[in-house]
Short mmCIF file of all heavy atoms in Angstrom, two decimals:
data_model
loop_
_atom_site.label_atom_id
_atom_site.label_comp_id
_atom_site.label_asym_id
_atom_site.label_seq_id
_atom_site.Cartn_x
_atom_site.Cartn_y
_atom_site.Cartn_z
N THR A 212 -11.06 -0.12 -6.78
CA THR A 212 -12.07 0.66 -7.49
C THR A 212 -12.83 1.58 -6.54
O THR A 212 -12.97 2.78 -6.81
CB THR A 212 -13.04 -0.26 -8.25
OG1 THR A 212 -12.28 -1.03 -9.19
CG2 THR A 212 -14.10 0.53 -8.98
N ASP A 213 -13.32 1.04 -5.44
CA ASP A 213 -14.06 1.84 -4.46
C ASP A 213 -13.17 2.91 -3.84
O ASP A 213 -13.60 4.04 -3.61
CB ASP A 213 -14.66 0.97 -3.37
CG ASP A 213 -15.84 0.14 -3.84
OD1 ASP A 213 -16.41 0.45 -4.90
OD2 ASP A 213 -16.19 -0.84 -3.14
N TYR A 214 -11.92 2.55 -3.55
CA TYR A 214 -10.99 3.50 -2.95
C TYR A 214 -10.75 4.69 -3.89
O TYR A 214 -10.88 5.84 -3.48
CB TYR A 214 -9.65 2.82 -2.61
CG TYR A 214 -8.62 3.80 -2.15
CD1 TYR A 214 -8.63 4.27 -0.83
CD2 TYR A 214 -7.65 4.30 -3.01
CE1 TYR A 214 -7.70 5.20 -0.39
CE2 TYR A 214 -6.72 5.24 -2.58
CZ TYR A 214 -6.75 5.68 -1.27
OH TYR A 214 -5.84 6.62 -0.85
N LYS A 215 -10.42 4.41 -5.13
CA LYS A 215 -10.10 5.48 -6.07
C LYS A 215 -11.32 6.37 -6.34
O LYS A 215 -11.18 7.59 -6.46
CB LYS A 215 -9.52 4.92 -7.36
CG LYS A 215 -8.11 4.40 -7.15
CD LYS A 215 -7.45 3.97 -8.42
CE LYS A 215 -6.00 3.59 -8.14
NZ LYS A 215 -5.29 3.22 -9.34
N ALA A 216 -12.49 5.79 -6.42
CA ALA A 216 -13.71 6.59 -6.62
C ALA A 216 -13.95 7.48 -5.40
O ALA A 216 -14.32 8.66 -5.55
CB ALA A 216 -14.91 5.67 -6.86
N ALA A 217 -13.73 6.96 -4.21
CA ALA A 217 -13.94 7.74 -3.00
C ALA A 217 -12.92 8.88 -2.89
O ALA A 217 -13.27 9.99 -2.50
CB ALA A 217 -13.86 6.84 -1.76
N VAL A 218 -11.68 8.62 -3.28
CA VAL A 218 -10.65 9.67 -3.24
C VAL A 218 -11.02 10.80 -4.20
O VAL A 218 -10.91 11.98 -3.85
CB VAL A 218 -9.26 9.09 -3.56
CG1 VAL A 218 -8.26 10.18 -3.92
CG2 VAL A 218 -8.75 8.26 -2.38
N ALA A 219 -11.49 10.45 -5.39
CA ALA A 219 -11.88 11.48 -6.36
C ALA A 219 -13.04 12.33 -5.82
O ALA A 219 -13.00 13.56 -5.90
CB ALA A 219 -12.26 10.83 -7.69
N GLU A 220 -14.03 11.67 -5.26
CA GLU A 220 -15.18 12.41 -4.72
C GLU A 220 -14.79 13.23 -3.49
O GLU A 220 -15.26 14.36 -3.31
CB GLU A 220 -16.31 11.44 -4.39
CG GLU A 220 -17.61 12.15 -4.12
CD GLU A 220 -18.79 11.22 -3.99
OE1 GLU A 220 -18.70 10.02 -4.34
OE2 GLU A 220 -19.84 11.70 -3.51
N ALA A 221 -13.91 12.70 -2.66
CA ALA A 221 -13.45 13.44 -1.49
C ALA A 221 -12.68 14.69 -1.91
O ALA A 221 -12.78 15.73 -1.27
CB ALA A 221 -12.58 12.54 -0.61
N GLY A 222 -11.93 14.58 -3.01
CA GLY A 222 -11.21 15.75 -3.54
C GLY A 222 -12.17 16.86 -3.94
O GLY A 222 -11.93 18.04 -3.65
N GLU A 223 -13.25 16.49 -4.60
CA GLU A 223 -14.27 17.48 -4.98
C GLU A 223 -14.91 18.10 -3.74
O GLU A 223 -15.14 19.31 -3.69
CB GLU A 223 -15.34 16.81 -5.85
CG GLU A 223 -14.84 16.36 -7.20
CD GLU A 223 -15.85 15.51 -7.96
OE1 GLU A 223 -17.01 15.37 -7.49
OE2 GLU A 223 -15.47 14.97 -9.01
N LEU A 224 -15.18 17.29 -2.75
CA LEU A 224 -15.78 17.77 -1.50
C LEU A 224 -14.83 18.73 -0.78
O LEU A 224 -15.25 19.79 -0.28
CB LEU A 224 -16.14 16.58 -0.61
CG LEU A 224 -17.04 16.82 0.58
CD1 LEU A 224 -18.39 17.39 0.16
CD2 LEU A 224 -17.23 15.52 1.33
N ALA A 225 -13.55 18.39 -0.74
CA ALA A 225 -12.56 19.26 -0.09
C ALA A 225 -12.43 20.58 -0.84
O ALA A 225 -12.40 21.65 -0.22
CB ALA A 225 -11.21 18.55 -0.01
N ASP A 226 -12.38 20.53 -2.17
CA ASP A 226 -12.32 21.76 -2.97
C ASP A 226 -13.52 22.66 -2.67
O ASP A 226 -13.38 23.87 -2.51
CB ASP A 226 -12.30 21.44 -4.47
CG ASP A 226 -10.91 21.15 -5.00
OD1 ASP A 226 -9.93 21.71 -4.47
OD2 ASP A 226 -10.81 20.37 -5.97
N ALA A 227 -14.69 22.05 -2.62
CA ALA A 227 -15.92 22.81 -2.36
C ALA A 227 -15.97 23.38 -0.95
O ALA A 227 -16.60 24.40 -0.71
CB ALA A 227 -17.15 21.93 -2.61
N ALA A 228 -15.27 22.75 -0.01
CA ALA A 228 -15.29 23.19 1.38
C ALA A 228 -14.34 24.36 1.65
O ALA A 228 -14.55 25.11 2.60
CB ALA A 228 -14.95 22.02 2.30
N VAL A 229 -13.30 24.52 0.83
CA VAL A 229 -12.29 25.56 1.07
C VAL A 229 -12.92 26.94 1.28
O VAL A 229 -12.59 27.62 2.26
CB VAL A 229 -11.21 25.58 -0.03
CG1 VAL A 229 -10.29 26.79 0.10
CG2 VAL A 229 -10.41 24.29 -0.02
N PRO A 230 -13.83 27.40 0.40
CA PRO A 230 -14.39 28.74 0.60
C PRO A 230 -15.24 28.88 1.88
O PRO A 230 -15.54 29.98 2.30
CB PRO A 230 -15.28 28.97 -0.63
CG PRO A 230 -14.96 27.89 -1.59
CD PRO A 230 -14.31 26.79 -0.84
N HIS A 231 -15.61 27.76 2.47
CA HIS A 231 -16.46 27.78 3.67
C HIS A 231 -15.67 27.54 4.95
O HIS A 231 -16.27 27.36 6.02
CB HIS A 231 -17.58 26.75 3.54
CG HIS A 231 -18.40 26.95 2.32
ND1 HIS A 231 -19.30 27.99 2.19
CD2 HIS A 231 -18.43 26.27 1.15
CE1 HIS A 231 -19.85 27.94 0.99
NE2 HIS A 231 -19.34 26.91 0.34
N ALA A 232 -14.35 27.54 4.86
CA ALA A 232 -13.53 27.36 6.05
C ALA A 232 -13.84 28.46 7.05
O ALA A 232 -14.04 29.61 6.68
CB ALA A 232 -12.05 27.37 5.67
N TRP A 233 -13.91 28.12 8.31
CA TRP A 233 -14.31 29.06 9.35
C TRP A 233 -13.13 29.65 10.12
O TRP A 233 -13.29 30.60 10.86
CB TRP A 233 -15.30 28.42 10.31
CG TRP A 233 -14.78 27.14 10.91
CD1 TRP A 233 -14.10 27.01 12.08
CD2 TRP A 233 -14.88 25.84 10.35
NE1 TRP A 233 -13.77 25.69 12.29
CE2 TRP A 233 -14.25 24.94 11.23
CE3 TRP A 233 -15.46 25.32 9.19
CZ2 TRP A 233 -14.16 23.58 11.00
CZ3 TRP A 233 -15.38 23.96 8.96
CH2 TRP A 233 -14.73 23.11 9.86
N ASP A 234 -11.93 29.07 9.93
CA ASP A 234 -10.73 29.61 10.58
C ASP A 234 -9.50 29.09 9.84
O ASP A 234 -9.63 28.35 8.85
CB ASP A 234 -10.69 29.25 12.07
CG ASP A 234 -10.66 27.76 12.35
OD1 ASP A 234 -10.44 26.94 11.42
OD2 ASP A 234 -10.87 27.37 13.51
N ASP A 235 -8.32 29.49 10.29
CA ASP A 235 -7.09 29.08 9.61
C ASP A 235 -6.90 27.56 9.62
O ASP A 235 -6.49 26.98 8.63
CB ASP A 235 -5.86 29.75 10.25
CG ASP A 235 -5.78 31.23 9.96
OD1 ASP A 235 -6.45 31.69 9.00
OD2 ASP A 235 -5.04 31.93 10.68
N GLU A 236 -7.22 26.93 10.75
CA GLU A 236 -7.05 25.48 10.86
C GLU A 236 -7.93 24.74 9.85
O GLU A 236 -7.47 23.81 9.18
CB GLU A 236 -7.37 25.01 12.28
CG GLU A 236 -7.17 23.52 12.46
CD GLU A 236 -7.57 23.03 13.85
OE1 GLU A 236 -8.31 23.74 14.56
OE2 GLU A 236 -7.14 21.92 14.20
N SER A 237 -9.18 25.15 9.72
CA SER A 237 -10.07 24.47 8.78
C SER A 237 -9.64 24.76 7.34
O SER A 237 -9.71 23.87 6.48
CB SER A 237 -11.52 24.85 9.02
OG SER A 237 -11.74 26.22 8.83
N TRP A 238 -9.17 25.98 7.05
CA TRP A 238 -8.70 26.30 5.70
C TRP A 238 -7.51 25.42 5.33
O TRP A 238 -7.47 24.85 4.24
CB TRP A 238 -8.31 27.78 5.59
CG TRP A 238 -7.93 28.15 4.19
CD1 TRP A 238 -8.76 28.58 3.21
CD2 TRP A 238 -6.62 28.09 3.61
NE1 TRP A 238 -8.04 28.79 2.03
CE2 TRP A 238 -6.73 28.50 2.27
CE3 TRP A 238 -5.37 27.73 4.09
CZ2 TRP A 238 -5.64 28.55 1.40
CZ3 TRP A 238 -4.27 27.77 3.24
CH2 TRP A 238 -4.42 28.19 1.91
N VAL A 239 -6.55 25.29 6.24
CA VAL A 239 -5.38 24.45 5.99
C VAL A 239 -5.81 23.00 5.75
O VAL A 239 -5.34 22.34 4.83
CB VAL A 239 -4.37 24.55 7.16
CG1 VAL A 239 -3.33 23.44 7.10
CG2 VAL A 239 -3.70 25.91 7.15
#
Side-chain angles (χ1 to χ4, degrees):
T212 300
D213 288 342
Y214 173 80
K215 288 186 175 183
V218 164
E220 192 172 346
E223 293 171 7
L224 193 59
D226 275 330
V229 171
H231 304 287
W233 55 92
D234 60 13
D235 289 342
E236 182 184 18
S237 62
W238 184 89
V239 166

